[in-house]
Amino acid sequence: MMRLTHLWPKAFRLWAASILILLQLTTGASALGEYQRSNDTVWETALALLNKRQPAQALPHLEQLVTRDPANIDYRFELALTLFKLGQDSRAKHHLSLLKATHLTPGARSAVDQLSVQIDGRNKLTGYFTFGILPETNVGKLTENEIINIGGIPFQLNAVGKPGVSVKVNAGVAYNQKFTDKLQAKYRLDLSSQLNNDKAYRDTSLIARAGLASLARGRSSVESGLILGRRWLAGNPYSNTTGAYLAYSKQAGTNGRINFDLNLAQTRHLGKAPDNNIAYAKLAYTHGISANAQITVSVFHQHTNSTDVSVAGQSFGAKISSVYAFPGGLVAGLSLSQAVDRRDGFNPVFFTEARKDNKTKLDLSLHHRNFRIGAFAPQLIIGIERNSSNNALVDYTNKYMSIGFTRKF
């Protein structure tokens, strides 16, 4: 079987080569003068409409400018401000997040921070809904070998990895209640579901969060609260989760932003599986090359405590990803991740050593700002994941292609 040791260098070389190309394109983007004269005319038209308090009429002109010159800070900020005026906060926050991780003058930085505070401070009920069609070569993420060896003894498997098509659905609602300029309550309900014709591959989670957030002029924020969750597997109730969370975000220098997340949760299974206590921490740093190009590096660690030693253990990993918006409207994302999972023990009836997994995942996403269906832009994601494991049941390769929608345009 193909091993992770040859996948990682190849994947890293592919990622590094792609980053070099994106950096070259970023450097050359500012030199593009093809549309400058017409851009000035469109810009003047947009500003005139904004001065007349006609943001809806100005929006298509600003969209056109950001499509043509995605690295232009002025264009992107006015687009974010106009989206805010029209109540499209999720899209406005997307453009502000690109600007926050960019080198800005003190005046521009203050304007971005103030708009972020205004968005976060709204008493507003918001919602989202996305879905994607996900064909996979190994939907169950199991070995494709019908016969495996365990302790030198061959076993015939009834369930093996096979191709399949799922539908991924994500939906949610959130409400922010402002107490002061720096303190607000946050309530959120999120639904995540994988639907499949084969009942065995159905997986649905419903998670509710309630917490308090402290905001500091858009430069930093701290949020903490409680989590309640329920999960269904194969159409049946599987587990209930209770816990607490902490989220911290801070501007780092002129081009960076740091995010830290901590979750402590107890999962109680509704069947025979033993209960788990999980501590999960993630640290991420986002660096802005320009208003249309970012790189994010993150690391995570998870500790699982359980009376079942085959479930208890440690997992940790790292991910590096980049996003680049090309002049003309095409937006591309590339990510590479590596995760390691080490269990504390094993089931002596079937196995002779504790499970050890090494997973590498590489994916590419593409969407176009000007190609939309309603309020969404169709997005294509192509990827491959390879799990190298000493447990032959879960030693697999999975290739996938997701056709879904995004609001990040």
Side-chain angles (χ1 to χ4, degrees), residues 367-387:
H367 69 274
H368 199 285
R369 288 180 45 80
N370 293 345
F371 179 42
R372 305 176 196 172
I373 298 177
F376 299 91
Q379 184 179 53
L380 173 68
I381 300 176
I382 301 171
I384 181 171
E385 58 182 341
R386 168 73 180 124
N387 190 52

Side-chain angles (χ1 to χ4, degrees), residues 114-282:
Q114 287 178 15
L115 184 55
S116 297
V117 169
Q118 285 183 278
I119 292 175
D120 290 334
R122 281 182 168 179
N123 289 341
K124 186 172 180 181
L125 181 68
T126 59
Y128 70 92
F129 175 80
T130 64
F131 77 94
I133 301 170
L134 180 65
E136 299 177 273
T137 60
N138 191 334
V139 65
K141 299 184 180 181
L142 299 169
T143 180
E144 296 176 345
N145 297 321
E146 295 183 359
I147 298 177
I148 62 172
N149 286 306
I150 300 177
I153 302 173
F155 285 86
Q156 177 78 38
L157 298 179
N158 294 322
V160 296
K162 59 182 181 181
V165 178
S166 302
V167 174
K168 291 276 191 176
V169 177
N170 292 283
V173 292
Y175 180 73
N176 295 343
Q177 183 179 0
K178 182 179 177 180
F179 296 132
T180 68
D181 289 340
K182 295 184 179 180
L183 183 66
Q184 63 183 222
K186 292 198 170 189
Y187 310 97
R188 181 167 177 162
L189 184 66
D190 295 285
L191 172 70
S192 177
S193 184
Q194 175 175 293
L195 308 175
N196 195 288
N197 285 333
D198 190 331
K199 188 177 179 180
Y201 302 131
R202 297 176 191 171
D203 188 351
T204 299
S205 296
L206 184 65
I207 299 174
R209 292 179 176 86
L212 291 174
S214 175
L215 311 174
R217 299 180 182 177
R219 303 282 294 175
S220 66
S221 66
V222 179
E223 182 183 343
S224 61
L226 301 177
I227 301 172
L228 292 174
R230 189 174 179 96
R231 187 180 181 189
W232 294 261
L233 283 181
N236 299 312
Y238 178 71
S239 65
N240 291 325
T241 297
T242 57
Y245 72 92
L246 171 70
Y248 175 73
S249 178
K250 181 177 176 59
Q251 189 72 32
T254 57
N255 291 60
R257 193 161 189 89
I258 295 172
N259 291 282
F260 175 73
D261 295 285
L262 176 65
N263 289 279
L264 303 174
Q266 181 181 64
T267 299
R268 295 192 177 278
H269 294 91
L270 303 177
K272 296 180 179 179
D275 298 337
N276 301 333
N277 293 319
I278 296 175
Y280 174 85
K282 179 182 176 182

Side-chain angles (χ1 to χ4, degrees), residues 42-52 58 61-62 78:
V42 176
W43 178 238
E44 290 171 3
T45 301
L47 293 180
L49 291 168
L50 291 173
N51 288 333
K52 294 177 182 178
H61 299 286
L62 294 170
E78 286 299 333

